[in-house]
Amino acid sequence: EYAREAIALGVENYLLKPVAKEEIEQTVQKAIDNLYGKRQNGKSLLWENILFRWVNGMITEEELGERAAVLGLNLYLPEYCVICLMKKSKQDERDFRASCVSLLEKQVEVYPFWDEKGRYIMIIGGKKLNMDDLEKCLLSRAVQYHVESTVCIAFGTVVSDIENLPLSYRTACDCVELSNRNQSAVILRNDTK
């Protein structure tokens, strides 16, 4: 109940005793960054903080479980994958991102957020992730919104354990970072499992 009230008041994060020095430093740094950034307040700050820490392996399974209960994250799905979207141009793809999330939500759980490098990250989870269907889904949206040449979409490795999500995040981000910014292909995949 206290956690829900804190979220309504705009809490950045909450810490449990015993607190690690790194966790305090990360929380304070994230709060400072958010004060000076263009971020929203309230639940979205806690949401982004927890998802960011999850994909970077900076949160314990116990703490993630507690935060998931408050934020409504499902940590009991058989498979997870990270999808990374990165702009190739200055064009605003806000409608495209919202449409992708909406379309994916019909098939899988979707937890979107922005990472510290300006990449739009979607953690997806489901019973059985059919990557071919998800790829076609996103590609059709890219064509529909005429962004296939202005955005790069990369799929990370599919993982079956929430502790391995950082592997999926790294592979998705590496695909985007190592991609040819001038190539016309919009979808990049890492098919290792």
Side-chain angles (χ1 to χ4, degrees), residues 70-86:
V70 172
L71 296 172
L73 303 174
N74 186 347
L75 301 180
Y76 302 102
L77 296 167
E79 293 186 335
Y80 293 90
C81 179
V82 169
I83 300 173
C84 177
L85 277 71
M86 184 146 188

Side-chain angles (χ1 to χ4, degrees), residues 36-70:
Y36 292 104
K38 296 183 253 180
R39 310 256 176 152
Q40 298 172 330
N41 61 14
K43 187 175 180 179
S44 65
L45 287 177
L46 182 60
W47 173 269
E48 288 194 12
N49 180 297
I50 297 307
L51 295 179
F52 175 80
R53 290 175 58 213
W54 183 15
V55 298
N56 282 287
M58 300 175 352
I59 191 168
T60 66
E61 195 170 342
E62 180 183 340
E63 183 184 356
L64 180 59
E66 282 184 17
R67 303 307 200 264
V70 172

Side-chain angles (χ1 to χ4, degrees), residues 125-181:
K127 195 172 190 176
K128 177 76 176 133
L129 297 179
N130 184 327
M131 302 312 280
D132 292 330
D133 288 349
L134 295 173
E135 181 179 324
K136 287 176 191 167
C137 172
L138 293 179
L139 187 57
S140 69
R141 279 299 192 249
V143 171
Q144 178 184 350
Y145 282 86
H146 307 289
V147 297
E148 65 269 28
S149 62
T150 64
V151 70
C152 182
I153 304 168
F155 287 82
T157 304
V158 175
V159 297
S160 57
D161 188 342
I162 61 171
E163 289 184 359
N164 292 329
L165 196 65
L167 171 66
S168 185
Y169 175 66
R170 281 193 306 275
T171 57
C173 292
D174 287 350
C175 279
V176 166
E177 295 300 329
L178 297 173
S179 69
N180 178 352
R181 300 274 191 229

